[in-house]
Amino acid sequence: MTAPGATDAADRQPVISLRGVTRVYGEGEAAVHALRGIDLDIAPGEFVAIMGPSGSGKSTAMNIIGALDTPTAGTYHFSGADVGGFDRHQRSILRRDYLGFVFQGFNLLARTSALDNVELPLIYKGVSRAERRALAKAMLERVGLGRRLDKEPSKLSGGEQQRVAIARAIASEPAVLLADEPTGNLDTARSQEIMELIARLNREEGLTVIMVTHEPDMAEYAGRIVHFKDGLIERDGMNGNPRAPAPETADVH
Amino acid sequence: MFTETVRQAFQAIIRNAMRSFLTILGVIIGVAAVITMVTIGQGSTDQIESDVSKLGTNLLIVRPGAGMGPRSSGRSAPRFTLKDVEAIKEQIPGVIAATPANTSSMTVIYGNENHQATITGVDNDFLIARDWNVALGREFYESELRAGTATCILGETVRKDLFGAGDPVGETIRMEQISCRVIGVLEAKGASSFGQDQDDTVLIPIRTFLRRIAGNQDISSMYVAVEPGYSTEKVQSAIELLLRERRRISSGEEDNFSVMDTKEITSMLTGITAVMTGLLSAVAAVSLLVGGIGIMNIMLVSVTERTREIGIRLAIGATETQVLMQFLVEAVVLSLLGGLIGILLGLGFGYIGSIYMKIPFAPDWTTTFLAFAFSAFIGIVFGYFPARRAARLDPIEALRHE
Ligand SMILES: Nc1ncnc2c1ncn2[C@@H]1O[C@H](COP(=O)(O)OP(=O)(O)OP(=O)(O)O)[C@@H](O)[C@H]1O
Ligand SMILES: [Mg+2]
């Protein structure tokens, strides 16, 4: 994953491709149309911010892209493969090997050390113990938590917890990082740090990032901003001058 | 991967140590009960075997009724007579001793001391048949046996209780309405099966017993000793033939008495123990089953409580099988832990019980292994349903769970 920087979506096969995706919750009168028909292509190495009012279907779209949910209608291709035809097991493997998740609420395992949390996806991948340890340590160092390996989530600040979550998401070297309001629970300073981290992963390692955010400040880091409204894509445009992350710093405490 | 799953299972169990313990309590109790039962049952069997073998291989016991045990007709079958005893002694070759042995439990009094003992009505052949010597004093005189005089020989336990360090020979003791002169003391024999004390007895002439205690002429059992070198089986069938004739049993009818050698006595006594052990073990097995249901219940609660955790695991790529294995292994580790603790407790109780009951400590390793394997089986059976429920959770629903 070295191809970075400015993207030209047109001449590469999209890593994610949604066509006419709808998602309806419930039936009949009570049915909620969370997505009403979405077309979205995301190329490898892109950093896409998804914005829009509450209830516009952002999380629903993320869940579908994350293979956690299936569309009511429409197709979803991941690197050309039709995810609609995947069974439960294949979707697990897709999540395990190609996708990394970062949630608003961190979603770390309680009473489990930072290191063990980061090791978890590697365990499921079947990586040997020694290799896994080394990888997880490297990931935690990468997010600036090299000296917090043994801490349990309850002993870490929100910003630190989100760093652990990011380390966990990138430990299995996914193709796409999915972040649903990663800074939603953090103060401005902490949010900036997390955004810098994510932006660096995108710029320096070519990691494809799709991030939902309510804050224009955070969206500024993305090269492309997609606006949702009432289950439809309202606007989809390039951010000509994305905010560049500061050069990498040492451990943050 | 698998060792990792086991490690995680242990972590989850230790995190909830108290609840884990309560969860497996049912299995602990079930396994401990089974192991205790079997250990004590085996100990009693060993004890019975060694006791009966002490009787000697040449002893036959003759009792009314076909066999003993639950289905015996012993109560209704006609008794024997003194003439039967004599006939056996005189007419069957190879018999060196034949004695009646009627028993009754009575309070024996000397001065201010009193003691509950088994009174046995016998003749001198009893001492030969049981290979028992008079340590102090003498046997009965023929005249005493014939006349049914009030004379008695004390077992060591009775002597110690009534006379302490004193010499009882020549003293007079009382057994309810009978005043009885002590003519001898038997050598000590020690405890018999189920801790029964063989020395807790008073021998009196059979005629004295019949006239003054029983009030009839019925002989309730006989001991017959076979001369060494003679076949016990031949003597046994000769006695059977003779008694059939004397009791006028026609050829089509079954015996209404039984002649048993020590092997048969052993199997009869151990048979009772085996039935008891089996019954109690069945009850214990049911409690094991209940223990398994307890595990299932708690595992279901645990799956509900950890729904969010399961959601996280599914989101980061755990497959259905991996989540299933995680909970299944946890259930199996739990119930194996219960099995292990139960085995240790059961062996402990078995040991204490064997000391208390004065029987050998006889742990049965096959049963121990089976109990261990069975608790693993219980873990798999009762852990599967909750584990499957965990594995089939919808990741989004699970993540949203509070
Ligand atoms: N499981 C569900 N069952 C029923 N309705 C749902 C469910 N999940 C989402 N919805 C509805 O679908 C619509 C879109 O929800 P979604 O979570 O995608 O919005 P969002 O854009 O992420 O909003 P927010 O910014 O508040 O997170 C909402 O109206 C929501 O109430
Ligand atoms: Mg949302």
Short mmCIF file of all heavy atoms in Angstrom, two decimals, chain A residues 89-118:
data_model
loop_
_atom_site.label_atom_id
_atom_site.label_comp_id
_atom_site.label_asym_id
_atom_site.label_seq_id
_atom_site.Cartn_x
_atom_site.Cartn_y
_atom_site.Cartn_z
N HIS A 89 -20.18 -16.27 6.63
CA HIS A 89 -18.77 -16.57 6.84
C HIS A 89 -17.88 -15.71 5.95
O HIS A 89 -16.91 -15.11 6.41
CB HIS A 89 -18.52 -18.05 6.57
CG HIS A 89 -17.09 -18.46 6.78
ND1 HIS A 89 -16.58 -18.66 8.05
CD2 HIS A 89 -16.08 -18.68 5.91
CE1 HIS A 89 -15.31 -18.99 7.93
NE2 HIS A 89 -14.97 -19.02 6.65
N GLN A 90 -18.28 -15.60 4.68
CA GLN A 90 -17.47 -14.80 3.75
C GLN A 90 -17.46 -13.33 4.16
O GLN A 90 -16.45 -12.64 4.01
CB GLN A 90 -18.02 -14.95 2.33
CG GLN A 90 -17.72 -16.32 1.73
CD GLN A 90 -18.49 -16.55 0.44
OE1 GLN A 90 -19.70 -16.36 0.39
NE2 GLN A 90 -17.78 -16.98 -0.60
N ARG A 91 -18.58 -12.85 4.69
CA ARG A 91 -18.61 -11.46 5.15
C ARG A 91 -17.68 -11.26 6.35
O ARG A 91 -17.02 -10.24 6.47
CB ARG A 91 -20.04 -11.03 5.49
CG ARG A 91 -20.91 -10.89 4.24
CD ARG A 91 -22.01 -9.85 4.43
NE ARG A 91 -22.88 -10.16 5.55
CZ ARG A 91 -23.95 -10.95 5.45
NH1 ARG A 91 -24.27 -11.49 4.30
NH2 ARG A 91 -24.68 -11.19 6.51
N SER A 92 -17.62 -12.29 7.23
CA SER A 92 -16.68 -12.23 8.36
C SER A 92 -15.25 -12.08 7.84
O SER A 92 -14.47 -11.30 8.37
CB SER A 92 -16.75 -13.50 9.20
OG SER A 92 -17.95 -13.55 9.91
N ILE A 93 -14.93 -12.89 6.85
CA ILE A 93 -13.57 -12.87 6.30
C ILE A 93 -13.28 -11.52 5.65
O ILE A 93 -12.19 -10.97 5.79
CB ILE A 93 -13.38 -14.02 5.28
CG1 ILE A 93 -13.68 -15.37 5.94
CG2 ILE A 93 -11.97 -14.00 4.70
CD1 ILE A 93 -12.85 -15.69 7.16
N LEU A 94 -14.29 -10.97 4.95
CA LEU A 94 -14.12 -9.65 4.33
C LEU A 94 -13.81 -8.61 5.41
O LEU A 94 -12.88 -7.81 5.27
CB LEU A 94 -15.41 -9.26 3.58
CG LEU A 94 -15.45 -7.86 2.97
CD1 LEU A 94 -14.40 -7.70 1.88
CD2 LEU A 94 -16.84 -7.54 2.39
N ARG A 95 -14.56 -8.64 6.48
CA ARG A 95 -14.32 -7.69 7.58
C ARG A 95 -12.94 -7.91 8.19
O ARG A 95 -12.22 -6.97 8.51
CB ARG A 95 -15.37 -7.87 8.68
CG ARG A 95 -16.76 -7.43 8.29
CD ARG A 95 -17.64 -7.27 9.52
NE ARG A 95 -17.93 -8.52 10.20
CZ ARG A 95 -18.98 -9.29 9.92
NH1 ARG A 95 -19.84 -8.94 8.99
NH2 ARG A 95 -19.18 -10.41 10.59
N ARG A 96 -12.59 -9.20 8.37
CA ARG A 96 -11.35 -9.52 9.05
C ARG A 96 -10.13 -9.10 8.23
O ARG A 96 -9.18 -8.52 8.76
CB ARG A 96 -11.31 -11.03 9.31
CG ARG A 96 -10.20 -11.48 10.21
CD ARG A 96 -10.13 -12.98 10.25
NE ARG A 96 -9.56 -13.51 9.00
CZ ARG A 96 -9.54 -14.80 8.69
NH1 ARG A 96 -10.10 -15.68 9.50
NH2 ARG A 96 -9.00 -15.21 7.57
N ASP A 97 -10.16 -9.38 6.93
CA ASP A 97 -8.95 -9.22 6.13
C ASP A 97 -8.88 -7.90 5.35
O ASP A 97 -7.80 -7.48 4.95
CB ASP A 97 -8.80 -10.38 5.14
CG ASP A 97 -8.56 -11.71 5.87
OD1 ASP A 97 -8.29 -11.65 7.09
OD2 ASP A 97 -8.65 -12.76 5.22
N TYR A 98 -10.03 -7.27 5.12
CA TYR A 98 -10.00 -6.10 4.23
C TYR A 98 -10.55 -4.82 4.85
O TYR A 98 -10.38 -3.76 4.30
CB TYR A 98 -10.77 -6.41 2.95
CG TYR A 98 -10.16 -7.54 2.16
CD1 TYR A 98 -10.64 -8.84 2.30
CD2 TYR A 98 -9.09 -7.31 1.31
CE1 TYR A 98 -10.07 -9.89 1.59
CE2 TYR A 98 -8.51 -8.34 0.60
CZ TYR A 98 -9.00 -9.64 0.74
OH TYR A 98 -8.42 -10.65 0.05
N LEU A 99 -11.27 -4.96 5.97
CA LEU A 99 -11.90 -3.77 6.55
C LEU A 99 -11.44 -3.55 7.99
O LEU A 99 -11.22 -4.51 8.72
CB LEU A 99 -13.43 -3.94 6.53
CG LEU A 99 -14.08 -4.16 5.16
CD1 LEU A 99 -15.54 -4.53 5.33
CD2 LEU A 99 -13.93 -2.92 4.29
N GLY A 100 -11.31 -2.27 8.34
CA GLY A 100 -11.01 -1.93 9.73
C GLY A 100 -12.08 -0.98 10.22
O GLY A 100 -12.51 -0.09 9.49
N PHE A 101 -12.55 -1.20 11.46
CA PHE A 101 -13.63 -0.36 11.98
C PHE A 101 -13.17 0.52 13.13
O PHE A 101 -12.45 0.06 14.02
CB PHE A 101 -14.77 -1.24 12.51
CG PHE A 101 -15.54 -1.95 11.44
CD1 PHE A 101 -15.12 -3.19 10.98
CD2 PHE A 101 -16.66 -1.37 10.88
CE1 PHE A 101 -15.81 -3.86 9.99
CE2 PHE A 101 -17.37 -2.03 9.88
CZ PHE A 101 -16.95 -3.28 9.43
N VAL A 102 -13.62 1.78 13.09
CA VAL A 102 -13.43 2.66 14.24
C VAL A 102 -14.80 3.26 14.54
O VAL A 102 -15.47 3.77 13.65
CB VAL A 102 -12.41 3.78 13.93
CG1 VAL A 102 -12.30 4.74 15.12
CG2 VAL A 102 -11.04 3.18 13.61
N PHE A 103 -15.22 3.11 15.80
CA PHE A 103 -16.56 3.55 16.16
C PHE A 103 -16.52 4.81 17.01
O PHE A 103 -15.52 5.10 17.67
CB PHE A 103 -17.28 2.46 16.96
CG PHE A 103 -17.34 1.13 16.25
CD1 PHE A 103 -16.35 0.17 16.45
CD2 PHE A 103 -18.39 0.84 15.39
CE1 PHE A 103 -16.41 -1.05 15.81
CE2 PHE A 103 -18.44 -0.38 14.75
CZ PHE A 103 -17.46 -1.34 14.95
N GLN A 104 -17.67 5.49 17.06
CA GLN A 104 -17.77 6.66 17.91
C GLN A 104 -17.52 6.29 19.38
O GLN A 104 -16.82 6.99 20.09
CB GLN A 104 -19.17 7.27 17.77
CG GLN A 104 -19.38 8.50 18.63
CD GLN A 104 -20.75 9.13 18.38
OE1 GLN A 104 -21.52 8.65 17.56
NE2 GLN A 104 -21.02 10.21 19.08
N GLY A 105 -18.08 5.16 19.78
CA GLY A 105 -17.96 4.74 21.20
C GLY A 105 -16.75 3.86 21.47
O GLY A 105 -16.73 3.15 22.47
N PHE A 106 -15.75 3.88 20.62
CA PHE A 106 -14.48 3.15 20.76
C PHE A 106 -14.66 1.63 20.63
O PHE A 106 -13.92 0.98 19.91
CB PHE A 106 -13.76 3.46 22.08
CG PHE A 106 -13.77 4.93 22.44
CD1 PHE A 106 -14.06 5.34 23.74
CD2 PHE A 106 -13.52 5.90 21.49
CE1 PHE A 106 -14.08 6.68 24.07
CE2 PHE A 106 -13.52 7.25 21.81
CZ PHE A 106 -13.82 7.64 23.10
N ASN A 107 -15.62 1.06 21.40
CA ASN A 107 -15.90 -0.38 21.32
C ASN A 107 -14.66 -1.25 21.54
O ASN A 107 -14.40 -2.18 20.80
CB ASN A 107 -16.52 -0.73 19.96
CG ASN A 107 -18.02 -0.54 19.99
OD1 ASN A 107 -18.63 -0.49 21.07
ND2 ASN A 107 -18.62 -0.43 18.83
N LEU A 108 -13.94 -0.93 22.61
CA LEU A 108 -12.84 -1.82 23.00
C LEU A 108 -13.40 -2.85 23.97
O LEU A 108 -14.44 -2.61 24.59
CB LEU A 108 -11.73 -1.01 23.69
CG LEU A 108 -11.07 0.05 22.83
CD1 LEU A 108 -10.08 0.86 23.66
CD2 LEU A 108 -10.36 -0.57 21.64
N LEU A 109 -12.73 -3.99 24.08
CA LEU A 109 -13.16 -4.99 25.06
C LEU A 109 -12.75 -4.50 26.45
O LEU A 109 -11.58 -4.16 26.68
CB LEU A 109 -12.52 -6.34 24.80
CG LEU A 109 -12.97 -7.12 23.57
CD1 LEU A 109 -12.50 -8.56 23.66
CD2 LEU A 109 -14.49 -7.08 23.40
N ALA A 110 -13.73 -4.45 27.34
CA ALA A 110 -13.45 -4.00 28.70
C ALA A 110 -12.54 -5.00 29.41
O ALA A 110 -12.48 -6.17 29.04
CB ALA A 110 -14.75 -3.85 29.46
N ARG A 111 -11.84 -4.52 30.41
CA ARG A 111 -10.97 -5.37 31.23
C ARG A 111 -10.02 -6.22 30.39
O ARG A 111 -9.73 -7.37 30.70
CB ARG A 111 -11.81 -6.26 32.16
CG ARG A 111 -12.37 -5.46 33.33
CD ARG A 111 -13.12 -6.34 34.29
NE ARG A 111 -14.45 -6.61 33.83
CZ ARG A 111 -15.34 -7.36 34.49
NH1 ARG A 111 -14.98 -7.95 35.59
NH2 ARG A 111 -16.55 -7.53 34.03
N THR A 112 -9.60 -5.63 29.28
CA THR A 112 -8.67 -6.31 28.39
C THR A 112 -7.63 -5.26 28.02
O THR A 112 -7.99 -4.14 27.67
CB THR A 112 -9.42 -6.80 27.13
OG1 THR A 112 -10.52 -7.60 27.53
CG2 THR A 112 -8.52 -7.59 26.22
N SER A 113 -6.35 -5.62 28.13
CA SER A 113 -5.31 -4.62 27.94
C SER A 113 -5.32 -4.09 26.50
O SER A 113 -5.86 -4.72 25.60
CB SER A 113 -3.94 -5.23 28.24
OG SER A 113 -3.59 -6.13 27.22
N ALA A 114 -4.71 -2.93 26.32
CA ALA A 114 -4.62 -2.32 25.00
C ALA A 114 -4.00 -3.31 24.01
O ALA A 114 -4.51 -3.51 22.90
CB ALA A 114 -3.79 -1.04 25.07
N LEU A 115 -2.94 -3.94 24.46
CA LEU A 115 -2.23 -4.88 23.59
C LEU A 115 -3.14 -6.04 23.18
O LEU A 115 -3.22 -6.40 22.00
CB LEU A 115 -1.00 -5.42 24.34
CG LEU A 115 0.06 -6.10 23.49
CD1 LEU A 115 0.63 -5.14 22.46
CD2 LEU A 115 1.18 -6.64 24.36
N ASP A 116 -3.86 -6.61 24.18
CA ASP A 116 -4.77 -7.72 23.87
C ASP A 116 -5.88 -7.29 22.93
O ASP A 116 -6.30 -8.05 22.06
CB ASP A 116 -5.37 -8.29 25.16
CG ASP A 116 -4.37 -9.12 25.95
OD1 ASP A 116 -3.33 -9.48 25.35
OD2 ASP A 116 -4.61 -9.40 27.13
N ASN A 117 -6.37 -6.06 23.11
CA ASN A 117 -7.40 -5.56 22.21
C ASN A 117 -6.90 -5.50 20.78
O ASN A 117 -7.60 -5.89 19.85
CB ASN A 117 -7.85 -4.16 22.66
CG ASN A 117 -9.13 -4.21 23.48
OD1 ASN A 117 -10.19 -4.51 22.95
ND2 ASN A 117 -9.02 -3.92 24.76
N VAL A 118 -5.67 -5.02 20.61
CA VAL A 118 -5.13 -4.88 19.26
C VAL A 118 -4.82 -6.25 18.66
O VAL A 118 -4.94 -6.46 17.46
CB VAL A 118 -3.88 -3.97 19.28
CG1 VAL A 118 -3.26 -3.88 17.90
CG2 VAL A 118 -4.25 -2.58 19.79
#
